[in-house]
Amino acid sequence: MTTATPAASQPAPDTAYTADEEARIIRNSSGLPVGIKPKMVWTWPKALLWAVIAIVCALAWSVLAIARGEQISAIWFVVVALSSYAIAYRFYAYYIQIKIMRTDDANATAAERVQDGANFERADRRVLFGQHFAAISGAGPLVGPILAAQMGYLPSVLWIILGVIFAGAVQDMLMLWISAKRRGRSFGQMATDEMGKVGGLIISVFLVVVTAIAMAFLALVAIKAMASSPWAVFSLGMTIPIALIMGCYERFLRPGRVIETTILGFVLLVLAIVGGGMIAANPVLAPIFTLNAKQLVVALVLYSFAAAALPHWLLVTPRDYLSTLMKIGTLALLVIGVVIANPQVQVPALTTLASRSNGPTFSGNLFPFLFITIACGALSGFHGAVSSGLTPKAIEKENQIRMIGYGSMLVESFTAIIALIAAITISQGVYFSMNMSPAQIEATAGSAYSASASPEQNAAAAVSRMDVQNIEGQRMRVEWQSGGTVVTGAEALDAAAHDVGEETLVSRTGGATTFAIGMANFLKSYLGGEGSIAFWYHFAIMFEALFILTTVDNGTRVARYQIGDLLGNVRKLRKFADPTWRPGNLITTFIATALWGTMLYMGVSDANGGINAMVPIFGISNQLLSAGCFMLVTVCVVKAGLGRYAWIPVVPLVWDVAVTFTADFEKIFDPQLGYFATASSLRASIDSGQLEGEALANAYASLSNAYLDGVLSVFFLVMMAAFLAVGVKTVVSTVRARAYGDHLTSQEPFLESNWFAPSGLIATRLERKVQHEFEHHPARRAELG
Amino acid sequence: MNAAAQLRAIAARAWRAVVWYAREVSGEARYEHYVERFAREHPGEEPLSERAYLRAREEHERLHPNTSCCC
């Protein structure tokens, strides 16, 4: 295969190109190689490798799809996910890259054009991949799959994987692409540029409301995990002094030593988790740190208001370091844990709840509500906002967009798969005991319910009344393995709570507790053994809560700037648009905190635990935002004259609109599921005068919650319908006028690139050769002086 | 080169790669990039000290908030 021909620009002997290679190299006007044309080069070993991957993928899918009445290993889920991702990334994402994005490395990216030394600064693709993943990932994918597991694993695993391949990752990549072609403009700005003022305004308002809802929902999940748990409250509370120590250390003692600071913080964090165990065991200190949900809401609201007012370096930045480390480190630990622990799946492909609409973790039919409940791991509208933020300003070469945009979202989806594994490998009885609110337990247990029995006994009674089967086709059981013996029934729940160092695990809705149990099972298998389960459980709670609180911190800030921008549109309030104006800052922070704080408070007061009411509103708003992303992308694709490939964003757009609009309609009009129906039945029970004391107060809270969620549902529907109408109108007028071309959009005109960098995670041999030539090229030398 | 030395060389290279990645991702290496770039674009001039650079960067982030978020 050595048909090397000396190339024009006298490359060194080890960088000689073949004729085929030379034809693919893109050179700018001074002969500098600045890129390589994307092309699939097939060799026999490569073809064989992909054939093997395809066979393994098909085999793994068939194991998951047709397994009935037999044990299967959770590793199949990992295999299914990874092989599907690989095929999608290599073929479908590549197809989109060639047909729609038409990435051209001859063109300079925003980072190369502007290079202001701040945001517009070329970042190494592997580094940017990590940073982009850290920016898009949050606690969302850890929650949805846990709640959806009540219907069995198959619908969830199908949606997480197919959803990310055809919708979620496509959205992230194409949003990144249109933003990168427009100097990293934001979602709202692009909507204004391409679809007019109305479109831009809708997105701006939408983003504020969606951010507030996301924060309220995620904070609710964290609070559900921390309520009445002195261990969790203490260790999470300790993150505040830890962050302060880290902040001061980095600012005064060792400026700029981020890694050192992070390691210091992590060590303190582990100590705080160990310390939490001692606090929980201490009869004097434990009650001090035992806070109920409402107290935690007040603490959280006060805290995040303070965090927004304090300088960044003191609290927010160090917390960001910690949660980024935890995010990436824990994901790696978990993947290893799943492989080593090799847990058996307990849940069948479909449970009886899959064909019903009254499951405990979320209400409504599989379609559309499962696709709403699993939002972030498969498709998340928020990523549209993130992808049009900092990342497009730092991309070195256009050809890297696939790896950064599509690749990061695949990792996010993989997180959701891990969460799903956590939920389906614990005993179903334990799962339902944890994920039913006290009211649901009472209703399900029926005559077996006894007010004088312990919550564990009632939960076990409720589980025994549910006709849900396990993977072997038998009625599900409450089981827990403790110190080598298997305990069942109420004792199992007692033993589980005791093993992980909690008072009780019953009715710990929200998914965080379930995830923590699963995660502790994986990690104890190779780090510390049986005795370490309590530590890993609280490590997992800490991981998730830290994640969520970082989101709440950032979200409050983001919402505050968004509110400031919105208010700044009004002439008399123009001053609010200035982010340095202190009084304005305080007012917008107050508005942002009040927005999510109120929703959160109503959520915890809800008799059904709040999660049940909040999941749909969170999922719908997030997925509707995705519809907005796909609409914008479709407009850009059509305007660029690529109408025949518009199906790539249009198919997920249609699916997403079908899911969200059906769900939203049901949430407004359905006599069982609707928020207004809930409100009127609550109103009736309040009017009947049978409620008193806290029950009455909670009923009022649930009532306002239902009204608020109902109004928000209507608001979302109207807003997004208007946005889609504007989008369709833009598409139609573009097609009618036959006015196609990049120059008619807000896309930046071509500018010659002077820079080379490889495209994928690992540089190919050709890329290394070109890199070598690039670095030693006379034109490059002249530029460096 | 014997096998042990070869193994050590590989381990050392892997370790350097990890450190490089951690420093880049965390932003710790940002100041060095600034100094390199400053030397290229303003030869002979004195760049900001690390502390001053970090303060300037912080101020810049305060004035140009990143408004994308989460989940």
Side-chain angles (χ1 to χ4, degrees):
Chain A
M1 289 271 287
T2 49
T3 53
T5 49
S9 50
Q10 306 132 9
D14 61 323
T15 64
Y17 304 118
T18 64
D20 282 353
E21 286 174 348
E22 182 59 48
R24 287 176 60 202
I25 295 172
I26 302 167
R27 292 177 189 281
N28 70 8
S29 54
S30 42
L32 190 67
V34 293
I36 299 168
K37 287 191 196 104
K39 187 187 171 197
M40 270 198 211
V41 185
W42 286 105
T43 55
W44 276 111
K46 223 191 220 175
L48 206 65
L49 176 71
W50 282 106
V52 170
I53 293 176
I55 292 168
V56 168
C57 183
L59 189 75
W61 272 113
S62 56
V63 168
L64 294 195
I66 58 182
R68 291 283 181 277
E70 61 202 280
Q71 293 278 331
I72 54 172
S73 157
I75 292 176
W76 284 113
F77 286 81
V78 175
V79 174
V80 154
L82 294 182
S83 57
S84 306
Y85 296 158
I87 293 170
Y89 177 78
R90 186 69 192 86
F91 298 98
Y92 188 53
Y94 178 79
Y95 177 78
I96 300 175
Q97 177 180 2
I98 299 299
K99 297 299 182 190
I100 287 195
M101 304 203 293
R102 294 159 301 141
T103 52
D104 179 8
D105 274 350
N107 191 13
T109 59
E112 192 180 341
R113 285 165 197 248
V114 183
Q115 273 220 52
D116 63 356
N119 288 340
F120 290 93
E121 183 71 281
R122 279 189 294 251
D124 181 276
R125 66 198 187 283
R126 294 157 292 192
V127 173
L128 196 58
F129 175 82
Q131 286 170 341
H132 183 69
F133 171 68
I136 61 168
S137 77
L142 302 179
V143 179
I146 306 255
L147 302 180
Q150 66 168 356
M151 291 191 167
Y153 66 76
L154 196 57
S156 301
V157 77
L158 279 168
W159 167 232
I160 293 172
I161 292 179
L162 297 182
V164 78
I165 288 175
F166 293 104
V170 174
Q171 172 208 275
D172 283 27
M173 176 169 74
L174 291 179
M175 284 299 283
L176 185 58
W177 166 65
I178 60 173
S179 179
K181 288 281 205 178
R182 289 162 177 76
R183 289 206 183 196
R185 286 200 190 102
S186 73
F187 189 5
Q189 285 167 324
M190 290 191 292
T192 309
D193 292 343
E194 303 295 344
M195 296 166 63
K197 269 216 172 97
V198 179
L201 188 68
I202 291 177
I203 291 298
S204 305
V205 176
F206 212 89
L207 270 173
V208 176
V209 184
V210 177
T211 308
I213 290 176
M215 283 188 291
F217 171 69
L218 292 174
L220 184 60
V221 169
I223 280 178
K224 288 277 167 193
M226 283 157 53
S228 316
S229 166
W231 190 331
V233 169
F234 173 80
S235 39
L236 198 74
M238 284 306 283
T239 60
I240 298 171
I242 290 173
L244 298 179
I245 293 171
M246 290 169 70
C248 293
Y249 180 85
E250 201 208 337
R251 191 174 180 91
F252 302 117
L253 290 176
R254 304 273 289 156
R257 296 287 88 82
V258 182
I259 297 172
E260 252 175 63
T261 312
T262 312
I263 293 172
L264 169 75
F266 181 74
V267 172
L268 292 175
L269 199 69
V270 171
L271 290 179
I273 299 173
V274 174
M278 296 174 193
I279 297 282
N282 186 314
V284 183
L285 292 173
I288 301 175
F289 291 98
T290 309
L291 300 178
N292 68 30
K294 285 181 185 166
Q295 292 165 324
L296 282 169
V297 173
V298 176
L300 187 59
V301 167
L302 289 179
Y303 157 76
S304 66
F305 192 80
L310 287 175
H312 253 182
W313 59 266
L314 191 56
L315 198 59
V316 176
T317 311
R319 270 267 285 269
D320 252 356
Y321 294 160
L322 270 186
S323 71
T324 308
L325 172 79
M326 289 283 270
K327 214 180 278 191
I328 296 171
T330 311
L331 182 60
L333 287 183
L334 278 175
V335 177
I336 300 170
V338 169
V339 174
I340 293 183
N342 187 12
Q344 295 296 309
V345 175
Q346 314 274 327
V347 178
L350 287 168
T351 69
T352 41
L353 293 175
S355 50
R356 288 196 216 139
S357 63
N358 58 356
T361 60
F362 68 91
S363 320
N365 291 324
L366 197 156
F367 182 91
F369 285 99
L370 182 118
F371 308 101
I372 294 291
T373 304
I374 303 182
C376 301
L379 172 64
S380 172
F382 268 118
H383 299 181
V386 180
S387 299
S388 56
L390 292 179
T391 312
K393 297 182 178 129
I395 289 184
E396 284 181 300
K397 301 301 297 180
E398 288 189 2
N399 278 342
Q400 297 168 349
I401 292 176
R402 171 166 64 123
M403 186 262 265
I404 292 165
Y406 205 89
S408 295
M409 185 59 195
L410 290 181
V411 182
E412 173 89 334
S413 168
F414 191 56
T415 320
I417 292 288
I418 298 285
L420 178 67
I421 296 176
I424 59 174
T425 51
I426 58 176
S427 149
Q428 278 167 297
V430 176
Y431 169 85
F432 282 107
S433 303
M434 285 195 282
N435 286 296
M436 284 198 279
S437 67
Q440 286 167 332
I441 288 180
E442 190 176 339
T444 313
S447 59
Y449 183 84
S450 150
S452 57
S454 71
E456 281 76 14
Q457 285 164 335
N458 283 326
V463 167
S464 67
R465 293 249 170 153
M466 295 171 75
D467 62 341
V468 175
Q469 292 176 335
N470 67 12
I471 194 165
E472 284 160 326
Q474 297 148 342
R475 185 179 275 268
M476 68 167 172
R477 288 182 296 263
V478 188
E479 265 179 7
W480 181 257
Q481 209 165 9
S482 177
T485 54
V486 177
V487 218
T488 55
E491 287 87 56
L493 295 171
D494 283 324
H498 178 262
D499 283 357
V500 300
E502 289 280 300
E503 272 300 303
T504 179
L505 289 176
V506 174
S507 299
R508 304 296 292 270
T509 54
T513 311
T514 313
F515 175 73
I517 296 267
M519 179 169 156
N521 276 332
F522 305 156
L523 293 183
K524 74 168 189 203
S525 70
Y526 73 114
L527 296 169
E530 281 302 321
S532 65
I533 185 165
F535 174 82
W536 288 120
Y537 170 84
H538 285 281
F539 185 88
I541 295 281
M542 167 72 97
F543 158 74
E544 200 159 345
L546 193 64
F547 231 9
I548 290 174
L549 292 199
T550 308
T551 305
V552 171
D553 280 351
N554 286 333
T556 307
R557 277 175 41 235
V558 168
R560 149 180 129 194
Y561 296 126
Q562 288 166 341
I563 293 169
D565 271 350
L566 276 179
L567 290 178
N569 287 331
V570 182
R571 188 169 302 159
K572 281 194 181 149
L573 302 174
R574 190 161 292 160
K575 243 182 143 182
F576 277 98
D578 171 15
T580 57
W581 185 48
R582 297 284 300 174
N585 260 341
L586 284 179
I587 295 170
T588 47
T589 308
F590 180 78
I591 298 175
T593 324
L595 267 178
W596 65 259
T598 316
M599 272 189 260
L600 176 59
Y601 191 82
M602 291 195 284
V604 297
S605 311
D606 197 305
N608 272 325
I611 294 284
N612 213 312
M614 287 275 249
V615 168
I617 196 80
F618 166 71
I620 290 173
S621 60
N622 192 5
Q623 307 270 55
L624 275 174
L625 198 57
S626 291
C629 291
F630 283 123
M631 191 71 246
L632 177 61
V633 167
T634 308
V635 167
C636 292
V637 167
V638 171
K639 279 190 176 180
L642 297 166
R644 65 187 173 287
Y645 299 113
W647 62 268
I648 290 169
V650 165
V651 168
L653 172 65
V654 170
W655 163 259
D656 188 38
V657 167
V659 167
T660 49
F661 278 56
T662 315
D664 210 336
F665 258 91
E666 288 186 17
K667 278 296 175 189
I668 297 171
F669 297 111
D670 193 273
Q672 249 98 50
L673 301 171
Y675 288 121
F676 293 112
T678 313
S680 60
S681 77
L682 280 166
R683 168 59 63 196
S685 70
I686 290 172
D687 288 345
S688 71
Q690 285 166 342
L691 300 173
E692 51 192 31
E694 204 180 347
L696 185 62
N698 285 349
Y700 272 115
S702 308
L703 180 68
S704 20
N705 205 2
Y707 273 128
L708 178 74
D709 290 342
V711 169
L712 281 174
S713 303
V714 175
F715 165 83
F716 286 143
L717 204 63
V718 173
M719 292 281 273
M720 202 34 84
F723 185 79
L724 294 177
V726 174
V728 171
K729 190 175 147 248
T730 315
V731 167
V732 169
S733 61
T734 306
V735 173
R736 279 226 180 115
R738 295 178 187 281
Y740 303 125
D742 290 339
H743 59 285
L744 297 171
T745 69
S746 55
Q747 191 167 317
E748 295 280 312
F750 179 83
L751 184 76
E752 188 176 89
S753 171
N754 284 304
W755 184 257
F756 175 79
S759 309
L761 211 51
I762 300 163
T764 62
R765 229 180 54 217
L766 176 58
E767 281 173 339
R768 283 203 297 270
K769 282 198 271 187
V770 175
Q771 180 92 52
H772 184 269
E773 190 203 332
F774 170 74
E775 275 159 14
H776 298 85
H777 197 278
R780 176 92 192 123
R781 289 232 180 98
E783 194 196 316
L784 287 171
Chain B
M1 215 188 326
N2 61 23
Q6 218 164 2
L7 213 65
R8 263 205 301 281
I10 291 172
R13 246 184 50 200
W15 175 245
R16 273 200 301 277
V18 169
V19 170
W20 170 83
Y21 192 75
R23 288 175 47 87
E24 292 285 336
V25 152
S26 64
E28 191 167 313
R30 209 181 273 148
Y31 177 67
E32 285 153 40
H33 294 318
Y34 156 78
V35 172
E36 279 162 25
R37 192 173 152 190
F38 194 88
R40 201 163 60 233
E41 289 174 6
H42 311 272
E45 287 175 50
E46 187 66 20
L48 292 176
S49 74
E50 180 154 21
R51 221 171 256 252
Y53 171 79
L54 292 173
R55 294 285 189 285
R57 177 120 200 134
E58 216 175 274
E59 186 61 15
H60 179 270
E61 270 160 20
R62 200 169 71 82
L63 299 180
H64 304 88
N66 170 29
T67 55
S68 56
C69 146
C70 51
C71 146

